[in-house]
Amino acid sequence: MSTLEIKNLHVSVNTEEGEKPILKGVDLTVNSGEVHAIMGPNGSGKSTLAYSIAGHPKYKITDGTVTLDGQDILEMTVDERARAGLFLAMQYPVEVPGVSVANFLRAAKTALDGEAPKLRTWVKDVNSALERLNLDPTFGQRSVNEGFSGGEKKRHEIAQLELLNPKFAVLDETDSGLDIDALKVVSDGVNRYTAQGDRGLLLITHYTRILRYIKPDFVHVFVAGKVAESGGQELAERLEAEGYDRYLKAAV
């Protein structure tokens, strides 16, 4: 069993007014085979948590630890974190003009494995992944995220998830901007990933909508830079009915 463990994590960002603390002591443990949902209002620090785990240089770790199977990932470069088994699906995937989806995926797989995948089987794997996500095979020839619709960007992120198959995946608001059909397709892809039984998922979202299709084992309410409460699916249902007001008032 693998474990992603976050202890007392404090993170700041530099602003025009100086250094601003965003995360204020996050404690969270995700084991392989578990699905954790993080829910919270805008500005609560959910995306900061995702990017800090992945190693974005904008975010400064001021205290705490993040370990993967006992290894300190905060000391790793971004590519080392990926090779250790971490994956981030971004809320706003960036465009990479001139680099085709097919070449990007093969380069990523080669970097993770240390050797290039066999071309014949890899092309078959890529086409199968794209087909499962309702993406045409010609999608592989398009430049990464250039001119993609919101749904195409998110489905491409899940194609990466399926093909790279990390130990732990962090999905940052993968449901944002998706219509109901695209949401079901994306959710099916995530469920195929977790169905392996030995993969861990940290799903960041504002809404319970995606949790109708991806069933979390644990739900965490994230407010003012830390976990305010944890529970099961029933906590998500309560948030749907009551919102975040009582947590926001308690955080003042």
Side-chain angles (χ1 to χ4, degrees):
M1 183 178 75
S2 291
T3 301
L4 177 65
E5 190 169 20
I6 303 163
K7 286 186 175 180
N8 193 35
L9 188 65
H10 289 71
V11 176
S12 296
V13 295
N14 288 319
T15 68
E16 293 179 356
E17 291 77 31
E19 195 170 281
K20 179 182 179 182
I22 304 296
L23 300 187
K24 303 171 184 177
V26 177
D27 293 296
L28 188 65
T29 300
V30 183
N31 295 307
S32 53
E34 294 178 350
V35 176
H36 291 247
I38 290 183
M39 301 185 68
N42 281 329
S44 58
K46 304 185 302 299
S47 292
T48 295
L49 176 63
Y51 284 107
S52 299
I53 293 171
H56 195 296
K58 174 183 175 182
Y59 302 97
K60 180 182 178 182
I61 311 297
T62 56
D63 199 5
T65 60
V66 182
T67 58
L68 175 54
D69 294 336
Q71 288 187 297
D72 182 3
I73 69 165
L74 299 181
E75 293 298 317
M76 299 179 185
T77 60
V78 173
D79 59 303
E80 288 170 341
R81 297 180 198 206
R83 282 195 290 271
L86 285 177
F87 174 89
L88 170 65
M90 295 180 286
Q91 183 179 356
Y92 303 109
V94 297
E95 295 183 1
V96 189
V99 177
S100 72
V101 167
N103 285 339
F104 169 77
L105 291 170
R106 192 163 190 259
K109 184 67 172 175
T110 300
L112 289 178
D113 294 352
E115 60 180 10
K118 294 180 180 178
L119 193 56
R120 183 176 298 178
T121 54
W122 179 245
V123 169
K124 183 179 178 182
D125 289 345
V126 170
N127 287 340
S128 295
L130 296 179
E131 184 179 357
R132 286 193 295 270
L133 289 157
N134 288 358
L135 294 168
D136 191 274
T138 59
F139 185 84
Q141 305 311 311
R142 296 171 63 182
S143 291
V144 173
N145 292 320
E146 189 175 33
F148 288 11
S149 67
E152 286 175 329
K153 287 180 179 179
K154 298 305 175 72
R155 282 181 283 162
H156 176 225
E157 295 280 289
I158 303 307
Q160 294 174 48
L161 174 67
E162 289 203 59
L163 290 163
L164 303 179
N165 199 25
K167 288 181 182 178
F168 290 94
V170 181
L171 308 186
D172 186 15
E173 298 194 28
T174 296
D175 52 336
S176 65
L178 296 181
D179 62 29
I180 190 63
D181 292 327
L183 179 64
K184 289 178 180 178
V185 170
V186 162
S187 298
D188 285 346
V190 174
N191 287 331
R192 284 191 295 271
Y193 166 76
T194 58
Q196 297 173 92
D198 60 351
R199 297 293 186 262
L201 180 68
L202 189 57
L203 177 67
I204 295 170
T205 182
H206 280 301
Y207 308 108
T208 58
R209 187 177 65 149
I210 194 170
L211 303 184
R212 297 169 192 159
Y213 305 102
I214 301 171
K215 300 298 184 183
D217 300 296
F218 304 93
V219 175
H220 310 280
V221 183
F222 212 76
V223 177
K226 62 174 67 175
V227 176
E229 186 176 358
S230 296
Q233 178 80 31
E234 75 285 347
L235 180 54
E237 292 167 0
R238 196 175 80 208
L239 287 171
E240 177 81 359
E242 301 176 2
Y244 299 107
D245 277 356
R246 71 189 187 95
Y247 297 102
L248 292 170
K249 289 174 182 175
V252 173

